Amino acid sequence: MFDIVTIGSATLDVFIESDSANIVSVSSKDKRSDFMSFPYGSKVEIDDFSRNLGGGGINTAMNFAHLGLKTSTIVKLGADEISPLIYENLKKSNVDISNIINAKEGLTGFSIILVSFQGDRTVLAHRGVNSSIKEKDIDFENLKKAKWLYIAPLAGESNKMLDKLATFAKENNIKLSINAGTTAIKKGEKYFSKIIEVADILVLNKEEASLLTKISVRPDTKNEKFSKEFIHPDVIQMLKTLRGNNSVNVVITDGKAGVYAYDGTNFYKAPEFPAVVRSTLGAGDAFSSTFTAAMEKYNMNVKKALECASVNAAAVVEVFGAQEGFLTFDEINEKLKNSPDFTVESRNSLSYEANL
């Protein structure tokens, strides 16, 4: 019996940090975009360099195992020198490897992460065999042993597995947590609504939530009747639209602005937990997997899960590497105990909306 099985990507991540990077902002009538730039045609000095394993499938598996859950992972590895490194690290992290898929040819995923002096990053990603997970690759009988199935973003052709996995989870009474990513969301609301119907947890960032719901957050909208520090009315509408008439717990992350959630009864807002940011890579995986683990550990307590997830994500951004900095639940609770100013707000949805 597994507490959780993750499915997603596995990569070798090469981190490159250079203070020579410039952050260039470009504005148009409707939006502003930021770009990382280097002098064209020049040789750029690197201030720091490291190699780490990454990918949503194994990032989250290692975090779940570190949090004490009996964990397995479904990832597809290429016929190259990276595969043995991933096997070795998963075994060291007490992650079951019986569900790993070995491709007879092709390369394991590979990414180059350019880190700015601000800690944000631009990722150059080669998906490799991550994008070719097929139904025949998965041992569904072995998967029936799981309490939870966690679906990380799936690339390319692997996205065709999303509805199959969701249906399988429903038919076998397996709880389902999804952090699907932009590729799946672009298939449209009609396709994705079938996934949400069977999910217990859905985690999206605000841009993904806007893409799926077709709701934009208007910068000029003001709520004079209620605290300006609570949730924007357009985000409230996103949360309600995503949940619909289903039982899914919806979470929307919003970078430095924090995180919002809705469980059908209460709206929640968690601020960003204080951290000295070195690299934001892996923060999303750490947040969504810790949220899922805490929901299992604390009897689907959304407020407690938001607290734990915020703390663990903050620990990850303080170091290079998407699998570095993970905390145990004891360490998370100790940090919460020593941070009395960090609070997750909650408001009853009926009374809140009555005051909008």
Side-chain angles (χ1 to χ4, degrees), residues 41-180:
S42 64
K43 181 180 288 186
V44 178
E45 292 294 324
I46 294 173
D47 296 290
D48 206 349
F49 167 86
S50 66
R51 295 184 302 168
N52 301 89
L53 300 179
I58 60 174
N59 287 346
T60 54
M62 288 186 174
N63 187 36
F64 282 124
H66 195 78
L67 289 166
L69 279 71
K70 188 174 181 181
T71 306
S72 186
T73 187
I74 301 171
V75 294
K76 195 166 188 176
L77 304 183
D80 53 29
E81 70 280 4
I82 299 174
S83 296
L85 295 175
I86 293 175
Y87 269 107
E88 182 181 351
N89 279 269
L90 287 171
K91 287 190 286 187
K92 284 181 179 178
S93 299
N94 295 318
V95 176
D96 173 82
I97 59 173
S98 64
N99 289 297
I100 289 180
I101 305 159
N102 295 290
K104 294 182 180 179
E105 57 184 11
L107 299 175
T108 304
F110 179 81
S111 296
I112 297 174
I113 297 96
L114 305 175
V115 184
S116 78
F117 60 88
Q118 295 176 329
D120 284 328
R121 77 284 188 275
T122 295
V123 181
L124 309 177
H126 175 65
R127 302 298 183 186
V129 295
N130 288 320
S131 61
S132 61
I133 298 175
K134 298 178 174 63
E135 184 174 342
K136 65 180 182 180
D137 292 329
I138 298 175
D139 184 347
F140 283 96
E141 283 301 312
N142 201 27
L143 197 55
K144 289 178 181 179
K145 301 174 184 178
K147 293 181 184 177
W148 280 86
L149 177 62
Y150 177 97
I151 304 178
L154 297 169
E157 292 297 304
S158 300
N159 258 298
K160 294 179 180 179
M161 290 300 304
L162 187 56
D163 54 352
K164 170 68 178 179
L165 290 164
T167 301
F168 176 83
K170 181 180 180 180
E171 291 175 348
N172 291 276
N173 296 314
I174 299 170
K175 293 180 182 178
L176 181 63
S177 181
I178 302 177
N179 181 15

Side-chain angles (χ1 to χ4, degrees), residues 195-212:
I195 312 299
I196 296 175
E197 284 178 7
V198 301
D200 296 274
I201 296 171
L202 173 67
V203 182
L204 305 169
N205 64 38
K206 190 171 71 173
E207 290 71 27
E208 292 166 342
S210 179
L211 181 64
L212 185 57

Side-chain angles (χ1 to χ4, degrees), residues 183-197 208-215 237-238 240-244 246:
T183 304
I185 289 169
K186 285 181 178 178
K187 290 189 174 183
E189 183 180 357
K190 184 177 180 180
Y191 168 82
F192 213 78
S193 63
K194 297 177 182 178
I195 312 299
I196 296 175
E197 284 178 7
E208 292 166 342
S210 179
L211 181 64
L212 185 57
T213 62
K214 298 180 174 57
I215 298 170
Q237 193 58 43
M238 282 183 188
K240 290 182 61 183
T241 300
L242 289 167
R243 180 176 170 92
N246 305 304

Side-chain angles (χ1 to χ4, degrees), residues 16-23 35-38 113-122 277-280 320:
I16 297 174
E17 184 175 20
S18 175
D19 290 341
S20 300
N22 299 303
I23 308 301
F35 298 87
M36 186 185 299
S37 71
F38 295 93
I113 297 96
L114 305 175
V115 184
S116 78
F117 60 88
Q118 295 176 329
D120 284 328
R121 77 284 188 275
T122 295
V277 178
R278 190 167 186 203
S279 170
T280 57
F320 263 140

Side-chain angles (χ1 to χ4, degrees), residues 100 128 143 216 250 351:
I100 289 180
L143 197 55
S216 298
V250 181
S351 60

